[in-house]
Amino acid sequence: QSALTQPASVSGSPGQSITISCTGTSSDVGSYNLVSWYQQHPGKAPKLMIYEGSKRPSGVSNRFSGSKSGNTASLTISGLQAEDEADYYCCSYAGSIVVFGGGTKLTVL
Amino acid sequence: EVQLVQSGAEVKKPGESLKISCKGSGYSFSDHWIAWVRQMPGKGLEWVGIIYPGDFDTRYSPSFQGQVTISGDRSISTAYLQWSSLKASDTAMYYCARHLNRDYFDYWGQGTLVTVSS
């Protein structure tokens, strides 16, 4: 099972919106609406930001939203803030296993 | 409050064995899957495998099958990840996480850094 494909890096200015894509296959992202997204700051454990495609856990800002089209899931962050600068990972249920994306480094300019 | 607390950093030599732990609290440990996730230095997250403490049902990523063993002890709400013969390539941070519905991870441990070097 190959890793999901994410862009290595994205950037945006404070206040702008950015979108991170996560491309899988018909065996994972395309078959299940069970994509989750994680934020990881340097030296810290990952933090759940979106689950089951578009649901936000309690305490996560509504500036974070998730969606899916076909084999590609997306994470959108609106109103970028300095503290959003981090690595972001997507993850998809794939039947008997779970597969992660390679990660995207978000830089807030 | 749900918490997962992992054992401390380890420095080992190639060929040595190791068992690291993840202790859950603040919820019914037996009722939720626990996952182990590897992060090699400067790299991304990789799903190692999972255990259901209720009946010790265990699943492994094909990439890690036969390389590690996941186990648990319900009586002390603890899950384990172990190696029988470490390699330098096992050097990584290992996280445990509560794995809800077997599709997402809502709470994470602080990580255990494993360093394997001669």
Side-chain angles (χ1 to χ4, degrees):
Chain A
Q1 186 77 27
S2 301
L4 306 176
T5 300
Q6 298 181 233
S9 63
V10 298
S11 62
S13 299
Q16 288 186 331
S17 294
I18 64 95
T19 297
I20 299 171
S21 62
C22 170
T23 302
T25 68
S26 57
S27 297
D28 40 62
V29 176
S31 285
Y32 310 96
N33 198 24
L34 296 175
V35 174
S36 50
W37 289 89
Y38 302 87
Q39 176 191 67
Q40 187 180 34
H41 287 110
K44 300 293 188 183
K47 175 187 175 185
L48 177 66
M49 305 304 286
I50 296 288
Y51 68 100
E52 293 177 354
S54 59
K55 297 177 182 177
R56 266 190 317 275
S58 174
V60 171
S61 170
N62 60 8
R63 298 186 298 105
F64 292 83
S65 62
S67 62
K68 192 191 89 164
S69 177
N71 293 338
T72 299
S74 298
L75 173 71
T76 298
I77 309 174
S78 59
L80 267 181
Q81 299 179 0
E83 59 262 35
D84 298 332
E85 184 161 295
D87 293 327
Y88 290 85
Y89 295 91
C90 62
C91 179
S92 176
Y93 179 76
S96 58
I97 64 170
V98 158
V99 61
F100 282 99
T104 298
K105 181 175 180 56
L106 169 61
T107 301
V108 181
L109 302 170
Chain B
E1 179 195 7
V2 173
Q3 282 194 310
L4 295 171
V5 178
Q6 298 183 229
S7 49
E10 301 275 1
V11 180
K12 293 288 189 179
K13 290 181 165 42
E16 292 186 331
S17 62
L18 175 65
K19 191 174 190 178
I20 63 175
S21 66
C22 169
K23 182 175 176 61
S25 62
Y27 73 102
S28 179
F29 187 76
S30 296
D31 292 342
H32 298 281
W33 293 86
I34 289 286
W36 286 96
V37 176
R38 183 176 80 173
Q39 188 168 38
M40 299 177 77
K43 301 298 184 182
L45 304 174
E46 299 173 272
W47 187 80
V48 175
I50 53 175
I51 185 167
Y52 188 75
D55 61 6
F56 299 121
D57 186 6
T58 308
R59 315 287 174 90
Y60 295 91
S61 161
S63 301
F64 291 90
Q65 180 81 48
Q67 309 304 309
V68 297
T69 301
I70 296 172
S71 59
D73 186 337
R74 277 194 303 265
S75 68
I76 54 172
S77 301
T78 298
Y80 302 98
L81 178 65
Q82 69 180 89
W83 296 259
S84 58
S85 181
L86 285 160
K87 304 187 264 296
S89 57
D90 293 319
T91 294
M93 181 72 81
Y94 292 86
Y95 293 101
C96 66
R98 194 172 74 165
H99 193 28
L100 284 196
N101 301 331
R102 287 186 55 196
D103 77 276
Y104 64 96
F105 312 93
D106 63 342
Y107 288 94
W108 293 69
Q110 82 277 20
T112 296
L113 180 62
V114 174
T115 303
V116 184
S117 174
S118 54

